[in-house]
Amino acid sequence: MTTVAAPTEVHTRAPGKINVFLAVGDLQPDGYHELATAYQAVSLYEDVRARRSDDFTVQVTGGPGVDVAGVPTDDSNLALRAARLLASTTGYQGGVDLRIEKCVPVAGGMGGGSADAAAALLACDALWQTGLGRDDLLHLAAELGADVPFAFSGGTAVGTGRGDELSPALAKGQFQWVLALADFGLSTPTVYRELDEHRRRHQGDIGPVRQPVVDTGVLQALRAGDAGLLAETMHNDLQAPALHLEPGLSAVLELGESNGALAGVVSGSGPTVAFLAPDLDGALELQIALSAARLTVVRATGPVHGARVVAD
Ligand code: C5P
């Protein structure tokens, strides 16, 4: 029998995401809202390097343009929580030292913390050789946060429930994104609360909240790789509350749309604004125009794969 030596370090990578469609239903008794969302994983990644240790520790650094000052390194860090959850589930007695390099904007609505958790789960699973299967890991991912299962699986998917019940969506081709990063973050619970308050204030005009569903046009656009159709059908119920909290984002959306973007949408709970470009040339032109307006801009393509082990 051949035995494989346990690795001393494992390097994993998980992607950020854009919600190309996000419909928010009612607040549920568990404090979460029912969602119907179409996720696309994009080529901004979180890299996690995990080494054996007696304790649980984490260090965080930022890639280009990513300010990590607000990322906790105590036990509230989502990657550390992922490692501890895996250890307690499997009875692993040791710890781990995690090094995270973040290229997804922090508190930007692109699921960076969720990607850290997904990458940490995968890294610790490989480092500790727990023998858990993919379904078990996805189950743990859902315990860590609504977006963590998607960061784990990647690609293009429809999320229902809290956003954690995934069904893969057919997707063709590559979409070109230009992302305008804000120099501030938005708290996800605050944005959801603002939506609830808006709905309560205007209950008489807007009526009861409908059961959320993903627009069939979005699924058709993703299946056909049709950026024009996706631009027409992109939607995010969290955009209005995010703009209400940060009115300056409206000007960012207008600037992108008047410089060649097919459409712009606040990503998740914001404040990152995701612009869909017609093609690579269009994306490059838009990147130049937005940079000239002194915005911090990065380009990304999607869909990309989910959490993976990287061979160094
Ligand atoms: O799951 P996660 O920790 O990422 O969610 C952060 C917060 O976002 C939740 O505590 C909740 O306030 C809000 N949220 C929600 N409904 C969802 C997902 C998130 O209200 N489906």
Side-chain angles (χ1 to χ4, degrees):
M1 194 178 86
T2 48
T3 50
V4 180
T8 53
E9 178 172 302
V10 174
H11 175 190
T12 56
R13 180 173 287 166
K17 55 83 186 169
I18 295 169
N19 299 84
V20 295
F21 186 91
L22 175 56
V24 181
D26 265 328
L27 179 61
Q28 304 296 306
D30 63 3
Y32 277 78
H33 294 74
E34 194 180 2
L35 299 187
T37 187
Y39 291 109
Q40 184 172 111
V42 295
S43 60
L44 292 182
Y45 300 99
E46 305 284 85
D47 280 71
V48 170
R49 289 178 174 81
R51 293 185 78 87
R52 285 167 189 276
S53 171
D54 293 334
D55 303 319
F56 287 85
T57 50
V58 64
Q59 289 178 40
V60 183
T61 54
V66 177
D67 178 6
V68 296
V71 180
T73 52
D74 61 11
D75 280 350
S76 68
N77 181 283
L78 200 52
L80 269 192
R81 283 175 46 205
R84 284 190 186 274
L85 177 64
L86 184 66
S88 65
T89 305
T90 58
Y92 181 74
Q93 295 296 316
V96 69
D97 174 42
L98 298 174
R99 311 266 159 124
I100 305 179
E101 189 184 344
K102 297 180 73 71
C103 287
V104 180
V106 175
M110 292 192 64
S114 300
D116 293 349
L121 267 185
L122 187 65
C124 292
D125 178 61
L127 187 70
W128 300 339
Q129 302 191 310
T130 70
L132 285 192
R134 186 182 164 78
D135 283 354
D136 295 321
L137 291 174
L138 273 173
H139 196 78
L140 295 182
E143 281 186 43
L144 291 160
D147 294 337
V148 183
F150 179 71
F152 198 88
S153 39
T156 307
V158 169
T160 52
R162 295 173 167 193
D164 55 346
E165 293 167 24
L166 300 177
S167 18
L170 291 176
K172 190 173 142 190
Q174 286 278 299
F175 293 89
Q176 300 287 335
W177 297 97
V178 177
L179 303 159
L181 314 192
D183 56 6
F184 54 86
L186 268 173
S187 142
T188 303
T190 306
V191 177
Y192 274 100
R193 215 161 27 241
E194 177 66 29
L195 176 67
D196 291 336
E197 276 163 22
H198 175 85
R199 285 176 169 172
R200 207 166 31 246
R201 281 195 302 269
H202 298 277
Q203 211 164 16
D205 312 328
I206 54 183
V209 178
R210 285 191 295 166
Q211 171 83 18
V213 282
V214 175
D215 190 306
T216 51
V218 172
L219 300 176
Q220 200 187 327
L222 294 168
R223 200 162 53 229
D226 184 337
L229 182 58
L230 185 60
E232 282 170 31
T233 50
M234 280 201 307
H235 173 79
N236 179 4
D237 274 349
L238 294 178
Q239 177 160 312
L243 294 185
H244 196 249
L245 291 164
E246 290 292 345
L249 293 176
S250 298
V252 176
L253 279 161
E254 280 167 26
L255 192 65
E257 289 178 354
S258 58
N259 279 283
L262 295 172
V265 72
V266 167
S267 176
S269 55
T272 305
V273 176
F275 292 107
L276 184 57
D279 50 29
L280 178 59
D281 284 348
L284 289 166
E285 279 169 29
L286 181 57
Q287 184 179 22
I288 291 166
L290 296 178
S291 304
R294 300 194 171 280
L295 292 174
T296 304
V297 189
V298 290
R299 265 186 320 107
T301 60
V304 298
H305 61 75
R308 288 243 179 116
V309 173
V310 180
D312 284 320

